Amino acid sequence: MYTTSTAFLEALQEAGVSYIFANFGSDHPAIIESLTDAANKNKELPKVIISPHEFVAMSAAHGYAQLTGEPQGVIVHVECGTQNLGGAIHNAFKAKVPVLVYAGASPYTQEGELTGSRNEFIHWYQDVNDQRGIMRGYTKYDNEIRTGKNVKQLVHRSLQISKSEPQGPVYLMGPRETMEEETERVEIDSSLWTPVSPSALPVENVQELVSHLLKANNPLVVTSYLGKKEAAVEELVKLAEKLAIPVFESVPQTMNFPADHPMHVGYQWNEDKQHPVLAKADVILAIDSDVPWIPVKNKPSEDAVIYYIDADPLKEDMPLWYIPSRRFHQADSLTALKQINLALEKESPDESLVSARREQITAFHSEMKEAVKNAEQLNRDIITPEYLTACVREVMDDNTIILNEAITNYGVVTSHIGATRPGSYFSSGAGSLGWNGGAALGMKLAHPDKTVISLTGDGSYLFSVPSVVHTMAEQYETPFLTIIYNNFGWNAPKHSTLGVHPEGIAKQSNQFWINFNPNSQLAKVAEAAGNAYAEVVEEPGRVKGALETALTHVKNGRSAVLDVRIPKV
């Protein structure tokens, strides 16, 4: 029988969805029937990845889309499964990652009037007034499937919205009777449902921006996620080299600019320090950055001329957000940079000014890299985060993808990994911890040929639901390496408390309520659940050897987790 569920699954296939990360429940009998029927007939549909926890399912879809730009499907169980997506839907929404989430809904009949009518007690408890409202603050679009006659149109519209800039997750729900409904097949031409075309800078404003860049003594580019498009990185390098413009990465979600390029002037996370290049800048191009700086810690001068370019320049989903920009442009970064570079081809920069600036920024870059190198020196007594990250950099190759959820060591990882290739480095792009495990699964599914290394704090490792992550990794043959920067607690709340109360009671008492059980064997969770190789590393001299052993296991098809003990919080 051809049902609404059959049409729904076909629409996902037509739209190019490769995987459905699924946590099935009592609302999905028709979907299960359709999937089994398709399998028996060798009918091609997206592959189902059974996901024992919804947070991991969403994080995996997030990671896959981050790496490929292609949204995947997530299927969860009514409002309970929707709520169990938890912080993972926050991450996808804030990081502007396209994902389609589908949830069933409790049946709307109870006396057998229709196929799928209520037949389990849970159907009454799971019937809520506004299931879609759970997701409304975290999705670009939500709707209810009411009939199989237009379900394909709803799926294609949802994915069109999801993939259009600013990208983000979308949510569909359907009650059991609707998904069981017999219907007729509808043919859809997916080429008629493409995302909205990228926006460009207004022609009259391109020259204004270019003129300011040409006249600037100390121009600067600030970015966070421009590297979502690899071609945009190339255009940014071209601009930086043409005018000797330094590039500063604030809260980087991707590799946005090669760390070894002489115009790269570093990264900033929550460090309580003013960046000297930002302070000195007289013209700033902030492009693809939600948080280009934190004003109470690090900001440009009041006289700086700022241009802001982003797919979402108003940040309407951030109630408090503003920067003093001369112009706000809603534009695609790749398109905008092409326009700027094209306009510069007709200009003649002041070569003496450019040359002097190139020499100055190159010297700053060299000093910065020397400081990074000095911080990596081996300490015979403790494993420092800097040394650990440097060892990871030394054992990885050009076929490696780094995931960074090291939280209070975010800055250490970005600086000491020093990513140089687009698509080789990612952070979650948002604030809900635990993205690392599911995202590593999704990225490995997207690129089985790549080596995926997840660098995580012990807190964010626990948030990732590692038991689920690693049972899935073994089941679906997606081995990756996890390195836990284990300081036995949440360092972030301590930093936050000291940031507000530097000499407060908590500091005087040295009590921050952040310490974890020191006897926990975190890597053993992965070993028990997913047959991962597990090792605790406590001696600095063992770090490189342990990394090499773990990578050997990963390349032989077995996940590995290294619980590396760094100084306690």
Side-chain angles (χ1 to χ4, degrees):
M1 191 166 73
Y2 190 91
T3 64
T4 302
S5 292
T6 309
F8 170 76
L9 294 167
E10 282 185 358
L12 294 178
Q13 177 70 23
E14 293 164 359
V17 171
S18 300
Y19 292 97
I20 297 170
F21 299 92
N23 192 291
F24 291 124
S26 63
D27 44 335
H28 301 128
I31 287 180
I32 292 171
E33 285 284 299
S34 294
L35 286 167
T36 306
D37 184 53
N40 290 341
K41 295 175 180 176
N42 292 318
K43 176 181 175 181
E44 193 170 359
L45 287 177
K47 182 178 179 179
V48 174
I49 304 295
I50 299 169
S51 306
H53 196 288
E54 295 87 347
F55 184 95
V56 180
M58 189 71 193
S59 298
H62 181 154
Y64 191 105
Q66 275 184 297
L67 193 57
T68 66
E70 293 301 322
Q72 302 304 294
V74 174
I75 293 181
V76 297
H77 177 46
V78 296
E79 104 289 9
C80 292
T82 299
Q83 291 180 99
N84 235 19
L85 293 170
I89 190 67
H90 155 95
N91 286 341
F93 184 63
K94 295 299 183 180
K96 305 170 189 66
V97 174
V99 178
L100 186 147
V101 180
Y102 166 80
S106 280
Y108 55 79
T109 59
Q110 68 175 36
E111 297 185 23
E113 300 97 322
L114 296 169
T115 304
S117 188
R118 295 185 183 187
N119 61 355
E120 301 177 34
F121 76 88
I122 203 69
H123 293 152
W124 279 266
Y125 289 112
Q126 293 172 340
D127 188 9
V128 296
N129 289 322
D130 188 12
Q131 182 173 316
R132 288 160 60 187
I134 298 168
M135 297 283 273
R136 200 161 292 132
Y138 300 94
T139 54
K140 290 186 66 182
Y141 172 77
D142 65 85
N143 207 344
E144 179 179 341
I145 300 168
R146 296 189 174 99
T147 175
K149 295 186 184 301
N150 68 354
V151 65
K152 284 194 174 185
Q153 290 90 329
L154 288 185
V155 169
H156 284 278
R157 170 168 164 74
S158 298
L159 287 167
Q160 182 184 41
I161 292 171
S162 184
K163 293 178 72 173
S164 295
E165 295 287 358
Q167 296 181 333
V170 292
Y171 182 68
L172 292 175
M173 58 170 275
R176 200 160 73 163
E177 295 93 334
T178 299
M179 301 308 288
E180 293 278 358
E181 172 193 321
E182 188 172 4
T183 191
E184 294 181 1
R185 193 174 194 278
V186 174
E187 296 290 341
I188 291 289
D189 182 353
S190 58
S191 68
L192 303 179
W193 298 84
T194 57
V196 173
S197 298
S199 300
L201 297 174
V203 174
E204 62 272 17
N205 291 133
V206 174
Q207 194 56 49
E208 177 193 35
L209 172 55
V210 166
S211 295
H212 269 104
L213 291 175
L214 287 168
K215 294 175 184 176
N217 290 311
N218 298 293
L220 174 67
V221 173
V222 181
T223 188
S224 302
Y225 44 83
L226 176 138
K228 288 174 70 174
K229 294 184 177 179
E230 295 188 11
V233 177
E234 297 174 15
E235 292 293 330
L236 181 55
V237 169
K238 183 177 179 181
L239 172 62
E241 292 180 347
K242 174 81 172 180
L243 297 182
I245 301 179
V247 176
F248 172 54
E249 295 187 63
S250 177
V251 197
Q253 298 178 22
T254 58
M255 197 299 291
N256 302 296
F257 193 80
D260 58 355
H261 195 286
M263 291 300 104
H264 192 277
V265 293
Y267 311 92
Q268 190 99 5
W269 291 82
N270 285 331
E271 295 88 349
D272 193 9
K273 61 183 180 181
Q274 174 67 55
H275 195 286
V277 179
L278 178 63
K280 191 177 178 181
D282 53 0
V283 175
I284 298 172
L285 173 57
I287 183 167
D288 281 0
S289 180
D290 290 332
V291 188
W293 46 79
I294 300 175
V296 297
K297 296 181 177 182
N298 175 45
K299 63 181 179 180
S301 73
E302 292 183 2
D303 298 327
V305 175
I306 300 168
Y307 286 85
Y308 187 80
I309 300 174
D310 194 88
D312 177 25
L314 290 178
K315 309 299 174 196
E316 292 175 274
D317 291 303
M318 294 183 180
L320 178 62
W321 186 94
Y322 54 86
I323 62 172
S325 184
R326 181 185 181 95
R327 295 278 186 268
F328 293 88
H329 292 298
Q330 186 169 14
D332 170 69
S333 56
L334 173 58
T335 303
L337 286 170
K338 284 183 175 180
Q339 289 179 278
I340 294 167
N341 284 329
L342 184 62
L344 280 170
E345 291 179 3
K346 304 172 186 176
E347 302 289 342
S348 299
D350 183 336
E351 290 301 333
S352 61
L353 179 65
V354 171
S355 179
R357 185 163 62 235
R358 193 183 311 279
E359 183 177 344
Q360 178 187 22
I361 298 302
T362 299
F364 179 92
H365 173 85
S366 297
E367 291 176 8
M368 178 187 71
K369 298 300 279 188
E370 187 64 25
V372 168
K373 182 180 179 181
N374 290 338
E376 296 174 353
Q377 301 307 307
L378 172 65
N379 184 317
R380 296 290 179 184
D381 300 319
I382 58 172
I383 301 173
T384 65
E386 292 82 1
Y387 176 71
L388 171 57
T389 310
C391 290
V392 174
R393 187 189 66 235
E394 289 179 18
V395 299
M396 61 187 269
D397 57 27
D398 288 343
N399 202 39
T400 301
I401 298 170
I402 293 290
L403 281 67
N404 179 7
E405 200 173 20
I407 314 303
T408 49
N409 286 305
Y410 268 140
V412 169
V413 169
T414 48
S415 295
H416 294 271
I417 286 294
T420 60
R421 292 171 291 103
S424 65
Y425 166 91
F426 296 91
S427 68
S428 78
S432 184
L433 304 189
W435 157 89
N436 66 91
L441 276 171
M443 291 189 186
K444 187 65 176 179
L445 282 170
H447 279 295
D449 58 314
K450 298 284 188 179
T451 300
V452 177
I453 302 178
S454 171
L455 309 181
T456 175
D458 48 332
S460 48
Y461 173 78
L462 288 168
F463 274 123
S464 74
V465 200
S467 57
V468 171
V469 166
H470 286 282
T471 192
M472 290 172 64
E474 183 183 34
Q475 183 174 357
Y476 296 105
E477 298 179 344
T478 53
F480 62 94
L481 170 60
T482 300
I483 301 167
I484 305 171
Y485 287 56
N486 190 350
N487 55 16
F488 297 94
W490 284 315
N491 208 8
K494 179 178 179 180
H495 277 250
S496 298
T497 302
L498 292 174
V500 179
H501 303 286
E503 300 299 330
I505 299 170
K507 180 183 179 182
Q508 294 172 27
S509 303
N510 194 30
Q511 174 58 277
F512 295 91
W513 311 98
I514 56 173
N515 300 104
F516 298 160
N517 177 6
N519 299 317
S520 294
Q521 297 294 312
L522 300 183
K524 292 288 186 180
V525 174
E527 181 182 59
N531 190 36
Y533 172 76
E535 182 178 351
V536 174
V537 184
E538 298 182 283
E539 300 83 24
R542 275 287 304 133
V543 172
K544 287 186 181 179
L547 285 169
E548 290 167 352
T549 300
L551 278 173
T552 298
H553 281 283
V554 170
K555 291 179 180 180
N556 287 333
R558 183 188 185 193
S559 286
V561 179
L562 296 182
D563 181 355
V564 183
R565 307 298 173 82
I566 62 175
K568 293 182 180 181
V569 295

